[in-house]
Amino acid sequence: MLWFTGQKGIYGRLDPKPGAMAVFDAPRGTGPYGIATTPDGQVFFASLAGNYLGQIDLETGGVTVLEPPVPRQGARRVWSDSHGALWITGWSSGDLFRYDSKSKSWAHWHLPGDGPQPSAVYVDETDAVWVSDWGANAILRFDPGRRNSNPFRYPIATRACGSLQVARARSGVPNPVPTSSS
């Protein structure tokens, strides 16, 4: 089963074998953006305009709206770690969120700097969390086990501006996509 989102206010599933597709209206209308699956098969999506994390009921297709602890955060993208925790970027609030799907609890961290705008998020095979920050024009590595005032490490400045793309290298460490300078 393939699950998808449409930012105009839909999400859905496609069963490739028979070609059966079901499309659903998203709670709060426009906004479904990033989508991820946990290791145990749960499906979640981030709603940028709706400001929530949606958990899809795999049987009915219905959605449970999960409210992050910061209002109007602009949940943009989501990725699961190996334990089933969801990592969500808060485009409007400048925060990185973690939703523990087992304990149903939230945590969040504000990105460093002035005017952070976290966009993409990726969790590698060591459970390190990588975030692209549009506002800082950088990639940040977040170590969830490090509990101090500045858990973000290794900013990588790039000329890619807001269109920063992250690719997975053989080492498991994302690298910025090369850009040409003029």
Side-chain angles (χ1 to χ4, degrees), residues 48 73-74 76-77 89-96 110-120 131-138 140 161-162 164:
L48 179 61
Q73 77 292 332
R76 188 170 184 132
R77 295 207 173 87
T89 54
W91 172 258
S92 303
S93 67
D95 295 311
L96 175 65
H110 194 71
L111 271 65
D114 296 328
Q117 289 182 295
S119 182
V131 179
S132 65
D133 181 354
W134 181 293
N137 198 23
L140 304 171
C161 235
L164 182 65

Side-chain angles (χ1 to χ4, degrees), residues 67-147:
E67 301 282 354
V70 174
R72 296 176 306 282
Q73 77 292 332
R76 188 170 184 132
R77 295 207 173 87
V78 58
W79 201 281
S80 177
D81 66 21
S82 68
H83 306 287
L86 285 299
W87 294 87
I88 304 103
T89 54
W91 172 258
S92 303
S93 67
D95 295 311
L96 175 65
F97 297 90
R98 182 185 66 218
Y99 176 73
D100 187 320
S101 63
K102 292 180 175 66
S103 70
K104 313 261 187 258
S105 62
W106 288 92
H108 72 282
W109 298 264
H110 194 71
L111 271 65
D114 296 328
Q117 289 182 295
S119 182
V121 61
Y122 168 73
V123 183
D124 69 22
E125 62 277 351
T126 68
D127 281 334
V129 180
W130 296 87
V131 179
S132 65
D133 181 354
W134 181 293
N137 198 23
I139 298 173
L140 304 171
R141 180 178 187 266
F142 178 70
D143 182 351
R146 189 173 169 199
R147 301 281 181 223

Side-chain angles (χ1 to χ4, degrees), residues 12-102:
R13 64 181 173 219
L14 169 66
D15 187 339
K17 271 193 175 174
M21 183 181 295
V23 177
F24 307 94
D25 289 328
R28 302 183 189 167
T30 60
Y33 210 83
I35 191 164
T37 304
T38 62
D40 65 357
Q42 297 179 77
V43 180
F44 294 82
F45 67 85
S47 179
L48 179 61
N51 296 297
Y52 67 88
L53 179 66
Q55 182 175 6
I56 299 174
D57 180 312
L58 302 180
E59 296 299 316
T60 68
V63 169
T64 299
V65 171
L66 305 167
E67 301 282 354
V70 174
R72 296 176 306 282
Q73 77 292 332
R76 188 170 184 132
R77 295 207 173 87
V78 58
W79 201 281
S80 177
D81 66 21
S82 68
H83 306 287
L86 285 299
W87 294 87
I88 304 103
T89 54
W91 172 258
S92 303
S93 67
D95 295 311
L96 175 65
F97 297 90
R98 182 185 66 218
Y99 176 73
D100 187 320
S101 63
K102 292 180 175 66

Side-chain angles (χ1 to χ4, degrees), residues 152-176:
F152 294 89
R153 302 188 289 178
Y154 311 120
I156 304 168
T158 175
R159 291 183 303 270
C161 235
S163 63
L164 182 65
Q165 299 282 325
V166 178
R168 186 173 165 187
R170 283 184 185 260
S171 66
V173 177
N175 294 311

